[in-house]
Amino acid sequence: PTTRSFFQSTNKNNMETQNKPTNFNQIKKEAMRPLEMLGGERPLTDLLFNTDGNLLFSSCKDKLITVWLTETGERMGTYGGHTGAVWSISVDHKSTRLLSGAADSTIRLWEVETGKELFKWELHNPVRVVEMALGDKQFLSIT
């Protein structure tokens, strides 16, 4: 399996913004620690934190989307259904819906909590980018 790493603060006070923009250059290196997440057999294509930062979504060429708990690096589940590499993912503001675009020329809408596929759009070309609009009522895609 492929190892994925990202860094998380070991001191929660270093990452709290208290209504101020965070200057990541001021965060001490020793306050960050890597989390290793094992999973996936093929290269990553997209990584995405949810708005709260407690979930990390990853997609890769193995046709799966994985959701990780950022506190521990634990794999919470996968979203399966695409028949080609998943190129792009986007999650709504409340982390209830996940959008994915793939090489199988489909865009899929998922329920985050259950992994249930809610809707599938079939297009004529592979989908390279999907992005939900602020307000979660629209999305765009690039093929």
Side-chain angles (χ1 to χ4, degrees):
T2 304
T3 301
R4 286 120 165 101
S5 297
F6 71 97
F7 291 86
Q8 178 182 4
S9 173
T10 57
N11 180 349
K12 292 188 183 225
N13 292 330
N14 283 340
M15 293 299 286
E16 290 178 359
T17 61
Q18 299 171 352
N19 297 324
K20 297 177 187 174
T22 301
N23 182 346
F24 287 100
N25 293 329
Q26 294 176 348
I27 297 173
K28 297 178 183 177
K29 285 186 180 180
E30 57 271 295
M32 302 294 277
R33 65 182 170 90
L35 285 178
E36 292 186 348
M37 302 170 298
L38 298 175
E41 300 293 327
R42 308 273 318 273
L44 285 171
T45 56
D46 204 359
L47 284 172
L48 173 71
F49 282 105
N50 69 336
T51 304
D52 295 333
N54 62 337
L55 298 175
L56 178 68
F57 296 87
S58 64
S59 63
C60 57
K61 291 184 177 181
D62 67 3
K63 307 172 191 170
L64 292 176
I65 303 161
T66 305
V67 61
W68 310 85
L69 186 61
T70 58
E71 184 69 28
T72 62
E74 176 186 355
R75 184 188 340 208
M76 300 301 296
T78 57
Y79 305 83
H82 283 290
T83 58
V86 180
W87 293 115
S88 183
I89 50 178
S90 184
V91 68
D92 72 346
H93 184 72
K94 294 180 183 178
S95 302
T96 58
R97 302 287 185 259
L98 176 69
L99 197 62
S100 60
D104 62 5
S105 301
T106 66
I107 298 171
R108 296 173 192 246
L109 183 65
W110 310 88
E111 187 173 54
V112 169
E113 188 174 348
T114 66
K116 179 182 177 184
E117 183 181 301
L118 301 174
F119 198 83
K120 176 172 73 170
W121 292 268
E122 295 184 19
L123 305 172
H124 298 288
N125 295 302
V127 180
R128 302 300 262 169
V129 176
V130 293
E131 186 67 38
M132 288 195 181
L134 192 60
D136 305 326
K137 295 182 181 180
Q138 301 178 73
F139 70 88
L140 67 81
S141 66
I142 299 173
T143 59

